[in-house]
Amino acid sequence: MHDPAVHPDDDLRALRRDLHRHPEPAWCEFYTTARLIEELRAREVDIQYGPAIHAADQRLNVPEASVRNEWLDRAREAGADAETLEEIGESFTGAVAVAERGPGPTIALRVDIDALPITESEGDDHQPVSEGFRSENEGYMHACGHDAHATIGLGVLDAVLDSDFAGTFKLIFQPSEEQISGGKPMAESGILDDVDYLLALHIGLDHPSGQVVAGIDDFLAVTQFRVDFVGKSAHAGGRPESGANAVQAMAAAVQNLHAIPRNSDGATRINTGLVGGGTANNIVPEHAFIDGEVRGETTELMAYMWDHAQRVIDSAAEMHDCEADIQMLGEAPSAESDQRLVDIVGAVARETPGVESVLDRDSLGGSEDATYLMQHVQNHGGLAAYVGVGTDHPGGHHTPTFDVDERDIAVGIDVLSASIREIAASDPNR
Amino acid sequence: MHDPAVHPDDDLRALRRDLHRHPEPAWCEFYTTARLIEELRAREVDIQYGPAIHAADQRLNVPEASVRNEWLDRAREAGADAETLEEIGESFTGAVAVAERGPGPTIALRVDIDALPITESEGDDHQPVSEGFRSENEGYMHACGHDAHATIGLGVLDAVLDSDFAGTFKLIFQPSEEQISGGKPMAESGILDDVDYLLALHIGLDHPSGQVVAGIDDFLAVTQFRVDFVGKSAHAGGRPESGANAVQAMAAAVQNLHAIPRNSDGATRINTGLVGGGTANNIVPEHAFIDGEVRGETTELMAYMWDHAQRVIDSAAEMHDCEADIQMLGEAPSAESDQRLVDIVGAVARETPGVESVLDRDSLGGSEDATYLMQHVQNHGGLAAYVGVGTDHPGGHHTPTFDVDERDIAVGIDVLSASIREIAASDPNR
Amino acid sequence: MHDPAVHPDDDLRALRRDLHRHPEPAWCEFYTTARLIEELRAREVDIQYGPAIHAADQRLNVPEASVRNEWLDRAREAGADAETLEEIGESFTGAVAVAERGPGPTIALRVDIDALPITESEGDDHQPVSEGFRSENEGYMHACGHDAHATIGLGVLDAVLDSDFAGTFKLIFQPSEEQISGGKPMAESGILDDVDYLLALHIGLDHPSGQVVAGIDDFLAVTQFRVDFVGKSAHAGGRPESGANAVQAMAAAVQNLHAIPRNSDGATRINTGLVGGGTANNIVPEHAFIDGEVRGETTELMAYMWDHAQRVIDSAAEMHDCEADIQMLGEAPSAESDQRLVDIVGAVARETPGVESVLDRDSLGGSEDATYLMQHVQNHGGLAAYVGVGTDHPGGHHTPTFDVDERDIAVGIDVLSASIREIAASDPNR
Amino acid sequence: MHDPAVHPDDDLRALRRDLHRHPEPAWCEFYTTARLIEELRAREVDIQYGPAIHAADQRLNVPEASVRNEWLDRAREAGADAETLEEIGESFTGAVAVAERGPGPTIALRVDIDALPITESEGDDHQPVSEGFRSENEGYMHACGHDAHATIGLGVLDAVLDSDFAGTFKLIFQPSEEQISGGKPMAESGILDDVDYLLALHIGLDHPSGQVVAGIDDFLAVTQFRVDFVGKSAHAGGRPESGANAVQAMAAAVQNLHAIPRNSDGATRINTGLVGGGTANNIVPEHAFIDGEVRGETTELMAYMWDHAQRVIDSAAEMHDCEADIQMLGEAPSAESDQRLVDIVGAVARETPGVESVLDRDSLGGSEDATYLMQHVQNHGGLAAYVGVGTDHPGGHHTPTFDVDERDIAVGIDVLSASIREIAASDPNR
């Protein structure tokens, strides 16, 4: 049996902290990608990255070249390999490692790698501060544990390589999960077409250290969108009547979006998470925008919200004589974990040192574009499960004091690598 | 008689175009100030600038050091004299030139020098484009003619120096008029305490080339403000109920600010000219802001709006469990032009070549912090008038295609310099 | 010279108090009309009423038969002559008296007769209470002085009949002024086609007792409207998503109607004076309505508001998946008093005992459908003026404590009857 | 075995149709109560009604005397016994029948009797129209099947009386369920203090004819409220600034109430089901109101909504310088059906002719103040269950075309009476 005492080895902890120091937003994970490729190059795997692992036309919400270039510059300054950065291209972040280990099923593990536009806590009791690995990209932060995810992925790869696993193992580092736009292009790129089993994972989620959830369900289906309201500017003192106030249109939309009727079929969500508009106190605003999202417990509920949201937005624009341009930024469907995988992961977890309690099922209550990858594998006849690895996190997800207990990285590696070996061992086609 | 044919001389046109190429926002007019000081140094005047010409604690809405430093850097790069920039200090822009020309009254001319956060037109039919002096500070533009005002000021100084004017002439280059926050600190700095007569001017204002307005009135009193709404962030999918949505508070405020009842005592205005909030699609926004303004035909009407606005803002915050922090950015009272000066300017203008029609009075319908300077002089027993100099402007004020007919710069110089000589000549204490 | 001491004679005071006790809303002035006809029958005049004095298809906002019949019943119970009530027909309220007094111009005086849906004060210091003539129609009140107007009209008729006036005098009792819908059908009925001069009057308007305004101007043009929002009801607990909430549509409209941008060309107004919707706490509302109005200092400004208002209403309905049906209830244009009449009235008033000050002109700042009658006469080559008769009124117009000083009824009669005689005497065609 | 073919006997169908013809709103069920008492008097039971069956101070939302008297008059005109009406008193509607049948447990059945303010369909395909028993109280309708509930109650009483049932049976006719205010005063009146088992029932609820739900759960906890907004009236044209617009306050509240954040802990609801305000187009509204409700899947979720709602309402009033007076109209907690009763009802139903399918459990997704009675019995150590009796209803609950298939009244009688006998037979204390 694998000994958890050797985990997390110093290398993995160092990797996690290095990633934590360099949080990068969606589609700009240049340093992260280059750093992970560097790690993969030290191992016996085939490495894929760049345009090959994305269906280019399915990418949404890719930032403008100026933004990407700024992050490329930062990656370079932080020491990322220049040649690798060039190969990644302008936004084809992420990577895939393939380890062919003889006959057997193809099993993939998907981990996500992007960070959030949140300013990390400077509190002395925040471990990244006290241990010196706080974010060096001010205003950005690994506030959802993707640094731990990537580290667990690499740890699982090591464990698989170091085992008698027979079959093919694919480790997928996916970009742009936070913007719900990295899953679809990867799912449709072909990299999953030969995958028989897919596992994905998340750390934390309010589960304490020592707890594992064998199958997470109830992903909220989501659509993220951007609206641009365009009106007409005017001097606010001299000619207010000649303007068309885009900020008033935006405000009417915000108010009425939140007032979309609740739905008795299940949970729905709406958020107008980032808004702006106008230029100066004394000018009637010509432009305003909303970056928002709608969610639903099912894809139908999300569609209900999305239908209403579009009508509200268009009407709010019309109400103030403005135009509204609605653009979809990201989306993800609902998904369910397959029972056979849940059974295997649950059984393995119950045998894993450091695991104190195992839940067979739990709800996410959020969204995840891992669901695109899960659906793709399931639609091709494969099985998929989404595994939760508990950790005591001081602050909530997406808050400035979020952190993970690094010992749980080892637990995650053990549960997932053992599950992968067991899935291969019990494959009916074996 | 003065011959308008010699105006605008090439130097003044070149100056105006140089200022036009370097538009700078309020309190950051570093290049402009340095450039004007350079001009003044070539003339026989005393020059005052820096902290001496501002009541430091009356300055509102001064941008943060990082912003100011960025504009200082730009000014340096554009060739402004480094030593002068240092003397200006971090935001004490503007300058005063004093020409003592023997016994007689002290007469001041105030011109403003700041630009607007508007992106200038790139159209071929926009003269600054076709003649090569479009804004080099992308996103900023002299869209209200202050480049012409500064130029007229210098031309008037030249004409006064070149004349038999007896008395003291003060030329005041005022910063931060667009943000209604440069007038008060100058008015209270002491530079006006000995002024017997004050003239201010504006070009354009929908008056055609060849028209002069001897006395502009009906300045809207104004208060410009900034509100910060602070709520509580939360994951928009996982825990929407645990947030306090600052963007909803802002939107409720925007809607209800515009809905403050109209007032039968006269014109009022409200604008929420610049707003923003939140961080990302999937995070309940913790912060939002409004940069706005209220105006009134009288100071009382403005106060009516301001009282209502504060109540709306506080209630909107409370409604969504947020805090609102309201900060005043700028303000200006109402003012009237004194009849004796209006009579003199009108009579002079009727005799000035190039002037085809003269209006004794007209309404501004906007706000101007020249009113602080006018009030200060009037409260000390002096007289003040605000003069309009027509020009055919292709686009409206505060729009990307605004421009002036440069020939009207000469008209402005002639009318104002002749008026100043006539005011001195007819001074009863003479 | 007429002796004001005899005014108000007891009969007129009694009439005014009787009318005050029986306030009736627009198009339901049955008791009032019958009572006035009864008075006219005691005088030597031709009397017209019923369909003859209205362009039937121009009437707006006539209440439903059930409402009209209820007021007919009340009128009967209050002692109105049953036969007269029958002749009035179902809503052709108002009356015209014609006194032909030999050759000379035709001069008309228009007074309005309807009351308001306001509950009259029960305070002991409210004279109608202390003197026992408080409204007997609970919820309705003569809160704008039309009881005094009708009384003045009759007093003027008496004074004209009692004088050497040569010409034709028409006294017009107009219904439905408060709903701005009685003026147009009367104006287009033909009764004004032969009128050379038209006077109209209003008492109070914040002018004190003893003050007369010879010509009131600046009537706000107005459109009054009704919107019905129709959505879809649903059980609010069980199936909220299957409804279309008409009350949400109404609320969005109310908020955004008040937020229509102010206009620099002059005063505008908006009011949503009566709203309602829904059926019960637990049912998603299927229906809601707004009775509202827009006004403008000019007809153009009113049209600006009306255009915006219709767009706001349609968009608010669309926003909540409802239909909006907009119906015009009443309207009135702007109008100006003719200078020649203003001169005559002013001169007469200055000579009238009891008049202490005379204003040549003043602004109404409200709306009046007398403007339809004024326009009609002016368009036919006649002249018109709207006269203000001051009175100390304890409460404001349209408030529960409004009342008039009855002595000013005599002043009004004197000024208007003397003006009418002077107009006839100075008629150029005489 | 009981033969369903004899049901519904003609008498019961006639009763149901008579009740359907006389729908009465909450606390005004005078005809209904008198009619049911008349039926009870024909049976061997003790009858209680009037103040004895209500905790008077727990009644909420009782209409004003004028409204109650109007319904009393209608009841009299419809033939209700005058003496009984007098005994009911001014609003103590409802009745309780007690049948003591020897030793054994006390078992109660609660049925509700009030109707809704909905205008019944006039469509020829609506059975109450084609069969001649459409509502005679225009604007009111039995649109939720309480006419069938009362009829089932009486049928169950007959079946129990006609059986070997041993124990005490209480039949409770509860008023004011639609306003969620009849349950609490009955629960606290003492009539349930000796009850060991309580059943309640609902027909329809989207379950088809032939389906029975043994235990309905997931009642939404609810608070119904009334808000009065009081501002200040003003002339909308002349002095809009002097008013405080209660309709604007109401509209701001409506918009923001619907925008209270969704809650991840479960379902919430908000409705502003009946609103109104103002008096006339041209008067700034002094008064407005909202009759609304909040609900939650749990009592905590309801409290979350209620806390937010009160803050929104108070802030909306403050925002427009108005006062808000919030009054609670009705409330009900959540409740669960006890498993032992669910087992009995389910088993009985499976054996009942006419029942084709039995669900053990289902969610209501609405609110019911039967929960107060259930809680009261459960808190005293008793058991309670809420039974669903399916019926094919052409229109949804609370819509103008709602109706029941009268054959399902017999099914309901059979299932409930047999369940009551079985509960008594299996009582452990027996």
Side-chain angles (χ1 to χ4, degrees), chain B residues 255-264 268-270 305, chain C residues 255-264 268-270 305:
Chain B
Q255 286 224 307
N256 288 282
L257 282 169
H258 285 90
I260 295 174
R262 285 148 168 87
N263 194 310
S264 68
T268 54
R269 298 282 185 275
I270 172 74
M305 292 299 290
Chain C
Q255 286 225 307
N256 288 283
L257 283 168
H258 285 90
I260 295 174
R262 286 148 166 88
N263 193 310
S264 67
T268 54
R269 297 283 185 276
I270 172 76
M305 291 299 291

Side-chain angles (χ1 to χ4, degrees), chain A residues 255-256 258-262 264 268-270 305, chain D residues 255-256 258-262 264 268-270 305:
Chain A
Q255 286 225 306
N256 288 283
H258 286 89
I260 294 173
R262 286 148 167 87
S264 67
T268 54
R269 298 283 185 274
I270 171 75
M305 292 298 290
Chain D
Q255 286 224 306
N256 288 283
H258 286 90
I260 294 173
R262 285 148 167 88
S264 67
T268 54
R269 298 283 185 275
I270 171 75
M305 291 299 289

Side-chain angles (χ1 to χ4, degrees), chain C residues 24 36 52-53 60 65 69 82 94 105 124 140 155 200 205 242 261 274 301 305 317 326 344 389 392:
Chain C
E24 295 167 310
L36 292 169
I53 61 172
L60 292 170
N69 288 332
D124 289 340
Y140 292 84
L205 302 178
S242 71
L274 178 63
L301 283 162
M305 291 299 291
I326 306 178
I344 292 174
V389 177
D392 295 333

Side-chain angles (χ1 to χ4, degrees), chain B residues 203-355:
Chain B
I203 200 163
L205 302 177
D206 298 320
H207 295 286
S209 290
Q211 189 167 78
V212 166
V213 186
I216 288 182
D217 297 302
D218 295 340
F219 297 93
L220 294 175
V222 67
T223 290
Q224 295 192 331
F225 60 86
R226 160 106 185 197
V227 196
D228 287 283
F229 296 95
V230 180
K232 194 158 151 253
S233 70
H235 191 280
R239 284 265 148 219
E241 72 279 7
S242 71
N245 192 324
V247 163
Q248 282 188 279
M250 181 268 279
V254 166
Q255 286 224 307
N256 288 282
L257 282 169
H258 285 90
I260 295 174
R262 285 148 168 87
N263 194 310
S264 68
D265 287 334
T268 54
R269 298 282 185 275
I270 172 74
N271 194 43
T272 54
L274 178 62
V275 308
T279 52
N281 302 57
N282 59 345
I283 302 178
V284 174
E286 181 171 9
H287 177 251
F289 73 92
I290 300 173
D291 276 11
E293 61 172 29
V294 292
R295 307 198 199 208
E297 198 174 318
T298 62
T299 304
E300 289 69 33
L301 283 163
M302 187 271 281
Y304 162 85
M305 292 299 290
W306 185 223
D307 284 351
H308 277 251
Q310 290 174 87
R311 200 181 55 234
V312 166
I313 288 165
D314 287 336
S315 306
E318 169 68 15
M319 186 177 267
H320 295 281
D321 214 7
C322 296
E323 300 288 323
D325 177 43
I326 306 178
Q327 189 186 346
M328 201 177 291
L329 297 186
E331 45 174 348
S334 248
E336 298 291 320
S337 293
D338 288 300
Q339 189 60 42
R340 193 153 77 78
L341 294 193
V342 170
D343 289 343
I344 292 174
V345 174
V348 165
R350 283 185 186 88
E351 299 299 315
T352 304
V355 174

